[in-house]
Amino acid sequence: MAAAEPKAPAARRLARSCWAAFWDYETPKVIVVKNRRLGVVYRLVQLLILLYFVWYVFIVQKSYQDRETGPESSVITKVKGITSSEHKVWDVEEYVKPPEGGSVFSIITRIEVTPSQAVGTCPESVRVTNASCGSDEDCAAGHLDMLGNGVRTGRCVPYYHGAFKTCEVSGWCPVEDGASVSQFLGKMAPHFTILIKNSIHYPKFQFSKGNIEKRENGYLKRCTFDEVSHLYCPIFKLGFIVEQAGENFTELAHWGGVIGVIITWDCDLDLPASKCNPKYSFRRLDPKHIPASSGYNFRFAKYYKVNGSTTRTLIKAYGIRIDVIVHGQAGKFSLIPTIINLATALTSIGVGSFLCDWILLTFMNKNKVYSHKKFDKVCTPRQSSGSWPVTLALVLGQAPPPPCPCSKEDPGQAGRPQDEGRSQALASPPPQPRPPCDLPDQMADAPERGAGPGPCASQDSTLTDPRGLAQL
């Protein structure tokens, strides 16, 4: 306790000094430094900041606009064309899944067909883990493999082809790998046409537009998409989409894949509506360089009755999946973002001053010359009495201090006429500033402004700046 007592006064003094410093006012002081290199750095930084805001912020980014991203959108698709495989002719109703015409659909280009499947018992596929066996003891009855094709019966039977055996299962037989037949539908697929109808709406600006223009009847039956001549004819050939995505059609049709059709609506609503046009881009969405996740396929079955029993045809389909993705943004002039960005630009120009001050005080401040010029501490004089306008004027250094009686008085000057005293006061040179009530003896005989004893005659003309603030 005794050791802590001496620290208490020091802590109080520190707290008082911090509290007093909290009420200090700081104002910038302008210093002109005649240094060409520093001036070049200062102007160059200002120029770069100005170019950044004028060119990038206002011209490229158009930050003077109010913006809305993610338009409300609807997409309707329709595919046309026929193709053939080794066994039959395929039309749209068979190779397009699903048939509703939404923003995501698949075009089948190759199938593996397992016909005439019925519920029964058959050998398990060799692709299933632990399906191979040597005897019935290797097949546990009732075992169900989640990646298999049925429930094991406990028997080990010969496979569909070859000398090896697999466990028997109860399910849809024969299994897919044992009796599937591959058929390629991609012969005419590059010539399939895809109509993509898209309309967008920006609710903030009440702006709507579609990718089909009002043209004469039959226009869409004669045109195909061209970025220059038929921008508003959104009919694309499947081969064109795959080519624009940078893919090989034969390879893509064999293993399948996902192609994205990206429609971008970037609209500057300060311009006419005719300047707001869709931009189309195409790219592959599935990672083709990763074998485990590349390609695209799915399965479906067609059921029918044969002699009262249910049978089905299982189809594993490989195809090109089309994802139509719509995004964009719209902008229109607004006063609020304009003011905000202008204020930011004007404020950022001050970075040049900060940088040059740092260079000046860090690398060029020899013998603390610039520090003494830049930083001054001024204490406000304490004056007694007076009304608040006079006190405020004294603090700002714009008025003389309150009058006080002279230390010496010359009675011989009292009877001198007032006009003569004023003329002599104007003719006499202004003395150096001194404290108002501590004048030397020779100043006591200086002419006064008025007759009779009163305040010091030299205060009005010489002590308008008692603290020397004008020299700071």
Side-chain angles (χ1 to χ4, degrees), residues 29-35 357 359-376:
K29 180 179 180 181
V30 178
I31 300 177
V32 179
V33 179
K34 299 294 185 178
N35 188 293
D357 281 350
I359 295 174
L360 181 68
L361 298 175
T362 305
F363 302 103
M364 303 174 60
N365 194 19
K366 296 180 180 179
N367 300 324
K368 303 295 182 181
V369 175
Y370 297 115
S371 297
H372 293 315
K373 292 292 185 180
K374 183 171 179 62
F375 302 106
D376 283 338

Side-chain angles (χ1 to χ4, degrees), residues 351-407:
V351 173
S353 300
F354 175 80
L355 177 62
C356 291
D357 281 350
W358 178 72
I359 295 174
L360 181 68
L361 298 175
T362 305
F363 302 103
M364 303 174 60
N365 194 19
K366 296 180 180 179
N367 300 324
K368 303 295 182 181
V369 175
Y370 297 115
S371 297
H372 293 315
K373 292 292 185 180
K374 183 171 179 62
F375 302 106
D376 283 338
K377 183 177 180 181
V378 179
C379 297
T380 303
R382 297 180 178 271
Q383 299 292 340
S384 60
S385 71
S387 61
W388 70 266
V390 176
T391 304
L392 179 61
L394 288 173
V395 171
L396 299 178
Q398 300 298 324
C404 61
C406 294
S407 59

Side-chain angles (χ1 to χ4, degrees), residues 252-321:
L252 189 67
H254 186 79
W255 296 109
V258 183
I259 301 295
V261 179
I262 299 130
I263 308 176
T264 304
W265 293 87
D266 288 337
C267 300
D268 186 354
L269 300 184
D270 293 327
L271 302 176
S274 60
K275 300 296 183 180
C276 177
N277 299 314
K279 293 181 180 179
Y280 298 89
S281 58
F282 312 88
R283 68 182 185 91
R284 185 168 180 174
L285 300 180
D286 63 305
K288 65 178 181 178
H289 300 295
I290 303 176
S293 60
S294 64
Y296 175 73
N297 63 78
F298 60 95
R299 291 175 175 85
F300 63 96
K302 295 181 179 180
Y303 295 85
Y304 49 92
K305 290 279 189 178
V306 175
N307 298 327
S309 61
T310 301
T311 61
R312 74 177 187 181
T313 298
L314 178 64
I315 299 174
K316 182 179 181 181
Y318 296 84
I320 301 174
R321 173 175 143 173

Side-chain angles (χ1 to χ4, degrees), residues 102-229:
S103 60
V104 178
F105 60 94
S106 302
I107 298 176
I108 299 173
T109 54
R110 186 172 73 91
I111 59 174
E112 293 179 357
V113 181
T114 306
S116 303
Q117 279 190 329
V119 178
T121 59
C122 56
E124 178 63 283
S125 172
V126 294
R127 297 184 180 182
V128 178
T129 305
N130 298 325
S132 299
C133 62
S135 64
D136 293 346
E137 296 178 355
D138 298 329
C139 302
H143 177 71
L144 180 63
D145 194 324
M146 289 293 103
L147 300 179
N149 295 283
V151 180
R152 295 186 181 182
T153 63
R155 299 174 56 195
C156 183
V157 296
Y159 196 57
Y160 299 97
H161 49 79
F164 52 90
K165 296 180 179 181
T166 60
C167 294
E168 185 182 57
V169 295
S170 175
W172 287 97
C173 295
V175 296
E176 182 180 32
D177 296 334
S180 62
V181 178
S182 178
Q183 300 181 35
F184 186 69
L185 287 67
K187 182 178 180 181
M188 299 299 296
H191 302 285
F192 293 167
T193 59
I194 305 172
L195 170 65
I196 303 176
K197 294 192 291 185
N198 173 229
S199 59
I200 55 100
H201 176 68
Y202 288 103
K204 178 183 287 188
F205 305 113
Q206 294 299 310
F207 177 81
S208 301
K209 196 170 183 180
N211 65 341
I212 298 178
E213 281 188 337
K214 295 181 180 179
R215 295 288 188 95
E216 66 275 6
N217 293 332
Y219 169 70
L220 293 178
K221 296 180 179 180
R222 304 188 305 269
C223 69
T224 54
F225 175 80
D226 184 87
E227 191 173 359
V228 177
S229 58

Side-chain angles (χ1 to χ4, degrees), residues 72-92:
E72 299 173 352
S73 172
S74 68
V75 175
I76 300 174
T77 59
K78 184 182 293 185
V79 182
K80 289 187 176 182
I82 60 172
T83 187
S84 63
S85 63
E86 291 81 356
H87 301 92
K88 60 176 292 187
V89 175
W90 297 73
D91 60 7
V92 175

